[in-house]
Amino acid sequence: MIRLGLIGFPLVHSLSPVLHQAALRAAGLEGSYSLYAVESHNTDRLRELIDCVRTRDLTGLNVTIPHKRSLLPLLDALTSSARMICAVNTIYSLNGRVIGDNTDAPGFARDLDRFEATPASALVLGAGGAARAVAYALCNRACAVSVAARDIRQAQQLAGEFAGVTPLHLDADSLAGVHADLVVNATPVGMFPNLGETVWPADLPFPAGAMIYDLVYNPMETQLVRSARAAGLRAVTGLGMLIEQAALSFELWTGTHVQRDVLMDALAPSLY
Ligand code: NAP
């Protein structure tokens, strides 16, 4: 019996149970995926759940906001990517030790491969956890990365940890004239229910020929994606990344490959 789950708070809109229950069904595995709503101050409950992973009462857990970073000191070890990104979204037990991993970075990279995108330069908007995972993935591919944040200190901190990343202020003056083959929105701007919002400054043209990748996946066509398409650019949301990172977590826990289209079909009724 495989017992999986998600730690976070709040968890009401999570699509992870739909994805992982579909993966269990497709793999013919008996198991469950539960939601563990744990507020940020409740370290005792977090320790309890991590102990359950250590003893294998739980096979593995996903981790989301607000614990992706705060959980790090409670784990026995981190993979090198999780250490560099400084955030975990997947934990599992190996030889009695609880390991923290990050499947957001390879999830993003694999989704880029799906679009056969091989950017030489990229502009990442936002400098939080997802931006760090994206910057990590892009830097590993020798892509020249600029990170723009509304608080320049956040971009500077990220740039200080990832060699070769250029920090920028997220405003029209700083972004004007920036060349990028790929622009990634790693902020929540445009996410349901704020459907009309976009993080890209009004009246500023997109970098010529850039592909626009919006990590936001709900709605299926964000305002940013709509504007980019209207400007004749290739633009996608982060649905593929969501599916990839889930499938990679599932593979870590069960050793079983899961067909991505099975997950996409399972998700379809839950999307706007
Ligand atoms: P996070 O750690 O909270 O970081 C959010 C970043 O966005 C911060 O730099 C924040 O800056 C910035 N930001 C927030 N509101 C902004 C605004 N109105 N204008 C400009 N910047 C703003 O969140 P995260 O975990 O990185 O997630 C970011 C987004 O990516 C979320 O929508 C999440 O759902 C999505 N995501 C998608 C996937 C996927 O699989 N597709 C995976 C991970 C994350 P401040 O600190 O100044 O607020």
Side-chain angles (χ1 to χ4, degrees):
M1 173 79 172
I2 290 167
R3 294 185 64 205
L4 307 170
L6 170 67
I7 310 177
F9 195 89
L11 290 177
V12 273
H13 297 299
S14 176
L15 297 173
S16 294
V18 175
L19 286 170
H20 289 287
Q21 281 154 6
L24 285 165
R25 270 195 309 277
L29 295 169
E30 200 182 327
S32 60
Y33 190 97
S34 308
L35 295 179
Y36 299 100
V38 184
E39 291 185 72
S40 40
H41 62 268
N42 198 347
T43 311
D44 287 348
R45 179 64 177 142
L46 292 175
R47 280 189 205 283
E48 228 173 76
L49 288 165
I50 290 167
D51 279 344
C52 288
V53 175
R54 190 175 288 109
T55 57
R56 298 212 181 238
D57 287 327
L58 287 172
T59 314
L61 291 169
N62 280 135
V63 182
T64 190
I65 291 168
H67 303 302
K68 279 185 162 186
R69 296 183 74 134
S70 56
L71 207 71
L72 266 58
L74 306 181
L75 302 172
D76 300 326
L78 300 175
T79 59
S80 56
S81 57
R83 194 176 316 114
M84 186 68 196
I85 297 164
C86 225
V88 296
N89 74 336
T90 306
I91 65 176
Y92 55 90
S93 170
L94 188 67
N95 303 326
R97 302 173 81 208
V98 182
I99 314 292
D101 203 346
N102 188 309
T103 64
D104 280 338
F108 172 74
R110 286 190 186 204
D111 199 40
L112 273 192
D113 292 342
R114 200 165 59 95
F115 295 105
E116 296 179 357
T118 52
S121 58
L123 170 61
V124 180
L125 309 172
R132 294 177 68 91
V134 165
Y136 176 84
L138 290 169
C139 288
N140 272 350
R141 295 187 164 196
C143 176
V145 178
S146 299
V147 171
R150 58 182 172 181
D151 178 352
I152 183 80
R153 288 169 304 182
Q154 223 181 63
Q156 285 164 339
Q157 183 177 346
L158 193 157
E161 294 172 46
F162 291 79
V165 169
T166 305
L168 292 173
H169 200 264
L170 206 177
D171 64 18
D173 286 346
S174 310
L175 300 186
V178 169
H179 169 76
D181 299 327
L182 174 71
V183 176
V184 182
N185 173 33
T187 79
V189 180
M191 192 162 70
F192 181 85
N194 303 312
L195 303 182
E197 294 182 5
T198 166
V199 72
W200 190 256
D203 302 326
L204 180 69
F206 291 108
M211 174 180 175
I212 309 296
Y213 192 111
D214 195 343
L215 294 198
V216 174
Y217 49 81
N218 218 346
M220 282 203 288
E221 190 182 52
T222 58
Q223 182 58 50
L224 175 66
V225 164
R226 215 177 358 261
S227 307
R229 286 178 181 161
L233 300 178
R234 186 158 65 139
V236 298
T237 65
L239 196 56
M241 174 180 170
L242 177 77
I243 285 170
E244 278 297 332
Q245 61 78 30
L248 292 170
S249 296
F250 189 81
E251 285 165 19
L252 282 169
W253 295 323
T254 65
T256 307
H257 177 81
V258 54
Q259 296 290 340
R260 280 33 174 182
D261 54 357
V262 167
L263 301 187
M264 182 64 95
D265 289 348
L267 215 49
S270 311
L271 298 170
Y272 298 94

